[in-house]
């Protein structure tokens, strides 16, 4: 069969839910015949396959999608599938990057983004990532500032208000620009005399949670210095 015939056959098998047949067919081909369209169909078959170990199927799908990333990075189907597969494996910090990229590329074509339910995925990723950030913020700020009486309230999506009894200051924080290795955090310090300072700090580390901690630790170093300076 020609490459075009093989692609057509795998698409027909996919429409009929014959995912294992797609996997067997493509894996039986010589490497030189395993072109981008066929490898994409292989990843799609693994991603949707409900037979066997779901976690292993998703792992195989991601492995193949990464393998063809050079050809797929401008293909909306590849962007969507890798984003969706990351999302389904609870790796929202990776998934959101691909859904955001679809939004940027197709920002003038709302119909495409809507058909793919991209905004739903972005909102779902944000919701989970905000929750994961909150789990880190309280512990990190408490440990870094050595203030056991910190309180966090008025939590609204990506915004929260914090009170530091140690410094007698209020802090408004906003979490945005979420990515796989952290996020950008906006801090607004409100001193007792109502003097305010704002800081925009990028957090970057080997994981999302560590990236949030990185931004927070940078901020605490700043606040220790600025608080002493402001009180002089």
């Amino acid at each position: 069969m020609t490459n075009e015939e093989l692609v057509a056959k795998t698409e027909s098998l996919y429409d009929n839910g014959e995912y294992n047949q797609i996997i067997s067919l493509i894996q039986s081909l010589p490497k030189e015949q395993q072109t981008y369209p066929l490898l994409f169909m292989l990843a799609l078959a693994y991603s949707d396959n409900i037979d066997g170990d779901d976690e292993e199927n998703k792992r195989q799908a991601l492995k193949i999608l990464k393998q063809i990333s050079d050809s797929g990075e401008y293909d909306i189907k590849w962007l969507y599938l890798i984003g969706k597969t990351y999302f389904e494996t609870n790796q929202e910090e990776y998934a959101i990057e691909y859904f955001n990229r679809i939004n940027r590329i197709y920002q003038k074509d709302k119909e495409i983004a809507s058909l793919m339910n991209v905004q739903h995925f972005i909102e779902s990723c944000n919701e989970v990532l905000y929750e994961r950030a909150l789990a880190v913020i309280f512990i990190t700020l408490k440990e870094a500032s050595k203030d056991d009486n910190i309180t966090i309230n008025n939590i609204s999506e990506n915004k929260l208000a914090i009170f530091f009894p140690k410094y007698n200051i209020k802090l408004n924080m906003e979490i945005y620009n979420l990515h796989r290795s952290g996020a950008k955090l906006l801090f607004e310090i409100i001193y007792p005399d109502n003097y305010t300072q704002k800081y925009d700090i990028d957090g970057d580390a080997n994981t999302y949670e560590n990236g949030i901690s990185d931004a927070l630790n940078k901020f605490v170093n700043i606040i220790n210095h600025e608080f002493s300076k402001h009180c002089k």
Side-chain angles (χ1 to χ4, degrees):
M1 280 191 285
T2 66
N3 185 262
E4 290 76 13
E5 289 170 335
L6 284 167
V7 172
K9 182 174 178 60
T10 57
E11 288 176 346
S12 176
L13 288 170
Y14 180 81
D15 290 340
N16 292 321
E18 302 290 349
Y19 307 127
N20 285 320
Q21 286 193 44
I22 296 172
I23 293 168
S24 297
L25 173 61
I26 297 174
Q27 288 183 336
S28 70
L29 296 172
K31 291 293 183 185
E32 58 272 16
Q33 276 191 268
Q34 295 180 11
T35 58
Y36 170 75
L38 287 171
L39 288 174
F40 176 82
M41 290 302 301
L42 179 61
L44 186 61
Y46 268 119
S47 180
D48 287 350
N49 195 6
I50 58 174
D51 292 341
D53 187 334
D54 184 61
E55 186 176 332
E56 176 61 19
N57 285 335
K58 293 292 193 291
R59 191 186 70 79
Q60 287 294 335
L62 284 172
K63 180 180 177 182
I64 297 160
L65 289 166
K66 291 175 186 177
Q67 178 186 334
I68 58 175
S69 61
D70 286 346
S71 299
E73 60 179 332
Y74 297 109
D75 177 1
I76 191 169
K77 292 187 296 183
W78 181 88
L79 291 170
Y80 181 76
L81 182 59
I82 194 168
K84 181 170 172 285
T85 308
Y86 272 127
F87 181 82
E88 291 170 343
T89 52
N90 302 315
Q91 299 180 77
E92 291 86 1
E93 65 271 39
Y94 288 84
I96 196 169
E97 291 192 10
Y98 296 102
F99 292 123
N100 278 333
R101 197 183 303 178
I102 293 173
N103 254 359
R104 288 194 298 271
I105 295 172
Y106 293 92
Q107 58 185 329
K108 292 182 180 178
D109 194 337
K110 302 296 183 184
E111 186 177 351
I112 289 179
S114 177
L115 284 171
M116 291 187 156
N117 215 6
V118 169
Q119 198 55 43
H120 162 75
F121 281 114
I122 291 174
E123 290 171 2
S124 297
C125 287
N126 279 331
E127 184 178 344
V128 171
L129 291 172
Y130 292 147
E131 289 178 2
R132 284 169 57 183
L134 286 173
V136 174
I137 287 169
F138 184 76
I139 294 172
T140 304
L141 282 180
K142 192 164 100 170
E143 290 178 349
S145 66
K146 297 181 172 57
D147 188 346
D148 290 334
N149 297 310
I150 288 175
T151 58
I152 298 178
N153 51 49
N154 296 335
I155 299 169
S156 174
E157 293 184 346
N158 63 325
K159 298 178 182 178
L160 58 156
I162 302 168
F163 178 64
F164 285 82
K166 176 180 176 180
Y167 303 108
N168 192 26
I169 62 172
K170 295 176 182 177
L171 173 66
N172 293 322
M173 183 188 300
E174 182 176 347
I175 311 163
Y176 64 105
N177 193 24
L178 292 74
H179 52 83
R180 67 182 64 184
S181 54
K184 183 173 284 189
L185 274 61
L186 173 64
F187 300 91
E188 180 187 35
I189 306 170
I190 306 170
Y191 291 95
D193 58 3
N194 288 324
Y195 174 73
T196 63
Q197 286 178 302
K198 290 184 179 181
Y199 299 94
D200 229 349
I201 302 176
D202 277 311
D204 191 36
N206 60 328
T207 67
Y208 173 72
E209 278 83 359
N210 287 343
I212 298 292
S213 292
D214 176 58
L216 293 166
N217 280 296
K218 288 174 182 174
F219 170 73
V220 170
N221 287 334
I222 291 171
I223 197 176
N224 283 332
H225 174 72
E226 291 299 325
F227 181 76
S228 299
K229 189 168 70 174
H230 180 73
C231 290
K232 286 181 180 178

